[in-house]
Amino acid sequence: MAARVVDGKAVSAKVRGEVKVRVDGLRARGVQPCLAVVLVGEDPASVVYVRNKSKAAQEVGMEAREVKLPKDAHTADVVKAVRALAHDDSVDGLLVQFPLPAQVDQRAVVDCLPPEKDVDGFTFVQAGRLLRSEPALVPCTPAGVMRLLAECDVKVAGKHAVVVGRSLLVGKPMGLLLMGANATVTTCHSRTADLPGHVGRADIVIAAIGKPEFIQGAWLREGAAVMDVGINRGDDGKLRGDVHYASAAARASWITPVPGGVGPMTIAYLLQNTVEAAAARRDKRPPSTPIPGLR
Ligand code: NDP
């Protein structure tokens, strides 16, 4: 079987269009949605990510605010900047670009994010709501993967999904969302015995490892849907996913390319979470990322 290629750019454009309609609606009510991003230091990849997020926010009619701190900033400096944005009524979505320099206590920074503006879904409150299947701001990448599965009409309910990776940002929320959509979920990690065996039993494979071309096509069940979250830059400057694309594409039913698959969905759902946070705050209700297929 030759896999169909998931066009993440096209689906992302569709989601951004939906967000723009919501932004226009809020602006018509006199509300100007605003995304604020805190960047500490000048890590080149982080600088590009922040620029892309701001640009994407502006393109859908949001205000984008960047607060930059020097690379030698201390935890107290970052906390102070975050608290100021937390109390700023004109800010709807607030995120801190990770990774932070080693001297900054990441947990202390996350703990001062206000849950209702936590568009990355990192806080105890948002993570807890997701765990309890309550309305939540869900981490953007797994939310985007759920949308891609829905757009490709990949049925999730009753299917066996294998998530490789258990990070707070991707693997864990991914597993919860798939479970919430009635999949049977296996989560694998670096200590999993017989990873190829687990992957081979999956109808849906989500790769979120951070190791280039790690998952081999020969491991896959014929017809599995493959969502490759990994973004790995090689010495040649090229981006590669966590899945060996050519061999996987020969066996899968659907596969996401890298770049152009899951990546664009992450920014699209950041915008979705920001407009949702803006709307929910005005409507005095808990924000809730729209996720297809949840029970
Ligand atoms: P982390 O490093 O936080 O987590 C990686 C996970 O992979 C861990 O749970 C780890 O297991 C597991 N792992 C590592 N080695 C193996 C192995 N040999 N076999 C099985 N599991 C293994 O990474 P993230 O979750 O943050 O990101 C994963 C990838 O996704 C990266 O390439 C990242 O760049 C990319 N990414 C892409 C995004 C996008 O927008 N497309 C957004 C976010 C991330 P253990 O817990 O045991 O250590």
Side-chain angles (χ1 to χ4, degrees):
M1 176 184 276
R4 280 171 287 179
V5 180
V6 182
D7 188 345
K9 281 190 197 159
V11 180
S12 159
K14 189 171 168 184
V15 175
R16 289 174 200 221
E18 293 163 6
V19 171
K20 185 163 186 326
V21 169
R22 296 188 70 191
V23 171
D24 290 346
L26 283 169
R27 290 176 72 171
R29 283 168 59 187
V31 175
Q32 171 58 66
C34 171
L35 172 67
V37 183
V38 177
L39 173 65
V40 186
E42 286 140 27
D43 171 63
S46 294
V47 169
V48 172
Y49 284 137
V50 168
R51 192 188 307 142
N52 289 346
K53 287 170 184 175
S54 295
K55 189 165 161 270
Q58 285 163 346
E59 279 169 5
V60 294
M62 292 182 192
E63 182 190 340
R65 213 175 294 171
E66 293 177 15
V67 174
K68 293 181 177 159
L69 298 176
K71 64 176 184 299
D72 57 355
H74 292 291
T75 303
D77 305 316
V78 186
V79 165
K80 191 174 166 204
V82 170
R83 288 221 169 106
L85 294 164
H87 291 113
D88 184 334
D89 199 45
S90 66
V91 171
D92 297 295
L94 171 53
L95 70 87
V96 179
Q97 185 66 41
F98 290 149
L100 290 168
Q103 76 276 7
V104 179
D105 179 348
Q106 185 163 313
R107 196 173 291 181
V109 172
V110 169
D111 285 349
C112 67
L113 284 170
E116 69 280 7
K117 299 186 182 184
D118 169 24
V119 283
D120 269 336
F122 271 158
T123 53
F124 279 127
V125 169
Q126 297 305 345
R129 284 185 182 153
L130 173 61
L131 187 66
R132 286 177 18 169
S133 307
E134 290 177 17
L137 287 173
V138 170
C140 308
T141 304
V145 170
M146 293 301 287
R147 178 65 184 261
L148 287 180
L149 289 168
E151 289 286 331
C152 299
D153 208 18
V154 172
K155 299 283 176 268
V156 174
K159 295 296 163 70
H160 183 199
V162 170
V163 181
V164 192
R166 56 176 166 179
S167 69
L168 194 60
L169 186 67
V170 188
K172 280 182 189 157
M174 190 75 252
L176 288 170
L177 289 176
L178 288 162
M179 211 188 303
N182 293 318
T184 302
V185 178
T186 301
T187 300
C188 300
H189 46 77
S190 66
R191 307 293 292 274
T192 295
D194 190 20
L195 182 63
H198 287 289
V199 169
R201 287 185 284 278
D203 302 302
I204 299 167
V205 178
I206 316 285
I209 312 167
K211 290 197 158 53
E213 302 182 330
F214 190 76
I215 293 181
Q216 302 298 308
W219 301 1
L220 297 172
R221 172 190 280 187
E222 189 82 32
V226 177
M227 302 282 129
D228 189 351
V229 177
I231 301 180
N232 309 285
R233 192 174 289 280
D235 294 337
D236 56 3
K238 279 177 80 173
L239 293 182
R240 290 182 176 79
D242 288 342
V243 176
H244 187 270
Y245 186 84
S247 61
R251 286 177 79 88
S253 55
W254 286 98
I255 189 164
T256 56
V258 178
V262 175
M265 297 302 291
T266 300
I267 286 196
Y269 270 82
L270 172 65
L271 303 177
Q272 182 71 272
N273 278 351
T274 305
V275 75
E276 170 61 15
R281 209 151 59 87
R282 288 354 180 261
D283 297 344
K284 300 195 186 331
R285 60 174 174 80
S288 177
T289 309
I291 305 285
L294 286 195
R295 68 197 158 103

